[in-house]
Amino acid sequence: MAGFDEKTTREGGAPKTRGKMIAVCSAKGGIGRTILSVNLAVSLSKRNHSVAVLDGDFQFGDVSLAMDLQHTFTIKEAMDGFGSLDEHRLEEYLSVHGSGVRVLPAPERPEYADLLTKEAVSKMADFLLMKHDFVVCDTGAGLNEHTLNLIEKADEILVVATLEMAAMKNTKLLLETLDILGLRDKVRVVLNRANMESVIKAEDGARILGEEAPIYIPNDFQTCSRSLNMGSPFVLANSKSEIAKAVFKMAELIASNQAGEGIGKKKANALSLFPWKRKKGGMSK
């Protein structure tokens, strides 16, 4: 079998380069990571790319819910049959959405996450990359072992944040950690709900995180809530909405970079999250 980073041959097709892996992560939960992952995948599919989604939140993944998929198999069953698994056999475990996006769902119960090994997950991601132009990985919140494994493999890391103070603080720490790990150059920051009412404005949020050109996604709670509850990606059901247009633009931006290319954007100088510095005997600005 050829190396995963070299040219491989699709079944019945011509040699093709390895697909591009996009890891979507966040420092905390509840900020729209899954719904953005799903709609990004569908948007890429609408651009005539073959797309797979790996639900990498192995304890509490919601990709199947967000896409209204009644799956038969999950990554747990693929793990059970891992000894005989290859890129063709893995397709038997994928669920297919009406958009054409294929999904490898998370296990049905959180305790099953402990059965997944880092090596097996890496190999399954490689198999998906051999058969698809893009693999979107919706990771769990924070930096657990599996999330770190996936973002290290990724060609591009989307760090999703919102303008709440806690999200800003935790995202800043996450970006600093990725910098220490040598992964910062693969990161794009996505400011979700960028026009929400907040004491932190979108432009200030970008400067706090040291990001010169983040991707801005507008706030549309009603559309997102309906999309998630109905299991219908809003880029299909509400394709003319402002939030759908923003995700289409994000997909175009990502698709314009070839796998393995650097993102090539400058980072701004980060601002302190807290303008007040603590000193003995009081506070100083």
Side-chain angles (χ1 to χ4, degrees):
M1 184 180 293
F4 294 120
D5 291 331
E6 300 172 357
K7 288 190 175 182
T8 56
T9 303
R10 286 193 184 188
E11 186 176 16
K16 186 184 184 306
T17 56
R18 170 190 182 275
K20 183 175 182 178
M21 183 167 166
I22 303 160
V24 185
C25 62
S26 64
K28 64 186 296 291
I31 62 176
R33 185 189 64 252
T34 296
I35 198 164
L36 287 180
S37 298
V38 165
N39 281 277
L40 172 60
V42 175
S43 297
L44 289 168
S45 180
K46 285 173 67 69
R47 295 176 60 86
N48 296 319
H49 296 294
S50 59
V51 184
V53 176
L54 170 59
D55 193 342
D57 186 352
F58 297 132
Q59 286 190 314
F60 300 103
D62 285 327
V63 168
S64 292
L65 177 70
M67 302 184 81
D68 193 27
L69 291 173
Q70 306 300 317
H71 55 257
T72 302
F73 302 112
T74 72
I75 194 171
K76 189 261 185 187
E77 285 71 40
M79 180 74 192
D80 292 341
F82 185 68
S84 60
L85 206 63
D86 60 19
E87 70 272 24
H88 307 300
R89 289 289 303 277
L90 183 60
E91 291 188 322
E92 299 173 10
Y93 296 93
L94 304 181
S95 299
V96 183
H97 186 256
S99 63
V101 173
R102 296 181 174 185
V103 178
L104 183 57
E108 291 185 342
R109 295 194 56 81
E111 61 266 27
Y112 293 158
D114 293 335
L115 303 176
L116 304 175
T117 66
K118 185 171 74 171
E119 293 73 21
V121 171
S122 292
K123 188 73 78 172
M124 288 186 225
D126 285 327
F127 289 153
L128 291 173
L129 288 164
M130 293 173 71
K131 302 286 287 184
H132 299 87
D133 298 322
F134 292 93
V135 175
V136 178
C137 300
D138 178 26
T139 69
L143 286 177
N144 59 43
E145 181 182 14
H146 281 303
T147 296
L148 276 171
N149 181 38
L150 290 171
I151 65 177
E152 284 173 352
K153 288 183 67 63
D155 299 287
E156 190 158 342
I157 305 165
L158 300 183
V159 174
V160 183
T162 56
L163 297 173
E164 293 98 343
M165 186 66 76
M168 282 281 108
K169 186 265 290 183
N170 291 338
T171 302
K172 188 173 176 67
L173 290 173
L174 173 61
L175 292 173
E176 290 172 355
T177 303
L178 294 176
D179 194 15
I180 292 169
L181 294 173
L183 301 171
R184 186 64 175 87
D185 286 343
K186 297 198 294 183
V187 171
R188 289 187 194 272
V189 172
V190 180
L191 281 177
N192 194 24
R193 308 167 191 161
N195 58 343
M196 65 181 290
E197 290 188 12
S198 173
V199 295
I200 303 174
K201 303 303 179 187
E203 59 271 20
D204 293 330
R207 292 167 64 199
I208 287 168
L209 298 177
E211 190 73 6
E212 189 173 275
I215 297 171
Y216 294 104
I217 305 295
N219 185 34
D220 192 340
F221 176 80
Q222 185 176 4
T223 296
C224 289
S225 179
R226 185 188 305 116
S227 173
L228 189 59
N229 290 330
M230 298 295 293
S232 177
F234 57 70
V235 293
L236 297 176
N238 299 89
S239 61
K240 296 188 182 302
S241 63
E242 291 304 312
I243 190 170
K245 291 177 183 176
V247 174
F248 286 138
K249 185 175 180 180
M250 177 168 63
E252 180 181 1
L253 185 65
I254 290 169
S256 67
N257 289 334
Q258 298 300 314
E261 283 189 358
I263 293 174
K265 56 184 177 47
K266 296 179 180 178
K267 304 296 185 295
N269 293 325
L271 295 180
S272 171
L273 184 59
F274 304 103
W276 299 92
K277 294 181 179 179
R278 190 178 298 274
K279 288 188 175 181
K280 288 184 179 180
M283 307 286 284
S284 66
K285 191 172 183 180

